[in-house]
Amino acid sequence: MLRDRAFLRLWTGTTASGLATWALPFILGLAVLDRSLTAVGLGVLLAARTVGFLIAVPLGGVLADRHSRRGVVLISGLLAAAATPVLAWGLGDSLVLTAVAAALVGAGQGACRPAFQALTAEVVDPDQRQQANAAMTLAVRVSTLLGPGLTALLATVLDLSALLWGTALLWLIAALLPPRGAVGTPGERTHLVREFADGLREARRHPWFLAGLGALTAVIATGYSATGVALPLISRDRYGSELVLAAALTGYTAGALAGALIIARWRPRSQGWAALAGLALYGLAPLSLIAEVHPAVVIAAYVVTGVGIELFNVPWFTATQREVDPRLLARVSSVDFLFSYGLAPVGLALIAPAIEAFGVTAVLAACALVCFAAPALAALVPTARRFAR
């Protein structure tokens, strides 16, 4: 796939946006360490970015279907690129200014996600989309694996302002590099809310999509939250250091890399069932934290979890690009991102109070049960077997 010049440009642009998206929270965390930002300020900026993302995802989906997908990527990338220097300039001086800038960066991130998904379907032939989606996720996982060390290394020679300007450059690459897609036939333009409702109706036409999205949302809201909240506490209190935390997260990323490589070539006959089985493997993450086991067991569970999440993600994106009406693809993709990743902060916000109220063992057991049960229930939907009508 990377020999295809158009796809290479799209892949590079998508990778640049992913790097910029990942880097911002890490750089803001460094700002807390050098006292340019307080812990409360960090929470405000990350919340503002999330709000911007959630507002822009449905809007970006509608605009990407109404206009050129390439044009939406351009505008959203330029918005994030322009807002990032404002964030750097106001850091430590004006929390209001930096919060507005963070919200605009989040809006750029949110608007480009459904547009990138739809643009992939325009640039790549149908029989190559699974490899293309696997190549996209490989780039994300490699950057996640290598990014912390590289950013920490750059922080030894560059200040925070320079690091933030670096993410602005990444957003500029994401905006300018992707190619033009095929000329589509946009539907009739109406009110923005009505057009987004058209996307919801298209999503409802595909029972496998609704079932898979419900399962994915449930798994992210529970299993992901267990990773985000319980794993650091258990690593510190049970194992006495942050080593298990770091090793488990690294193992998860390495497993995801392996999963992307596997699914780039593997074509199971019951693709939907295989993908949902991979998603169910996320239940191993909270399950491994319930009892006091050897750290290797926890790390191995996270490796398997990483493999499973990509065995789901790649066929899921490929099926959406194949089955959904091309005129409504960006809107349906925005529904995907809005519910699955948009509701993740809710799970993160609720899991800590739940642990205090019911205890870590009960909460982790409930999370594992949801992670196993939700994909199993989704698999019962008739069209879920092959992610096709």
Side-chain angles (χ1 to χ4, degrees), residues 350-376:
L350 294 178
I351 195 145
I355 288 174
E356 289 186 5
F358 304 106
V360 66
T361 299
V363 171
L364 288 173
C367 289
L369 180 62
V370 171
C371 290
F372 292 134

Side-chain angles (χ1 to χ4, degrees), residues 167-258:
T167 66
L169 178 60
L170 288 172
W171 276 117
L172 198 60
I173 293 171
L176 299 177
L177 200 58
R180 292 185 180 276
V183 178
T185 55
E188 181 183 355
R189 296 182 187 178
T190 56
H191 192 275
L192 286 173
V193 175
R194 192 171 300 170
E195 291 186 50
F196 183 70
D198 290 339
L200 290 173
R201 279 191 288 272
E202 172 65 15
R204 289 202 301 268
R205 281 203 321 116
H206 305 275
W208 64 267
F209 180 85
L210 294 182
L213 181 57
L216 177 61
T217 302
V219 168
I220 290 178
T222 55
Y224 175 78
S225 299
T227 298
V229 177
L231 177 60
L233 296 176
I234 290 173
S235 179
R236 181 196 65 193
D237 298 339
R238 183 182 297 168
Y239 297 104
S241 74
E242 287 73 32
L243 182 61
V244 174
L245 170 64
L249 295 182
T250 303
Y252 174 81
T253 304
L257 280 169

Side-chain angles (χ1 to χ4, degrees), residues 313-335:
N313 277 340
V314 174
W316 174 256
F317 290 140
T318 305
T320 304
Q321 293 160 352
R322 181 187 66 240
E323 297 292 321
V324 170
D325 184 342
R327 296 179 298 109
L328 302 168
L329 178 54
R331 271 169 279 186
V332 174
S333 295
S334 71
V335 173

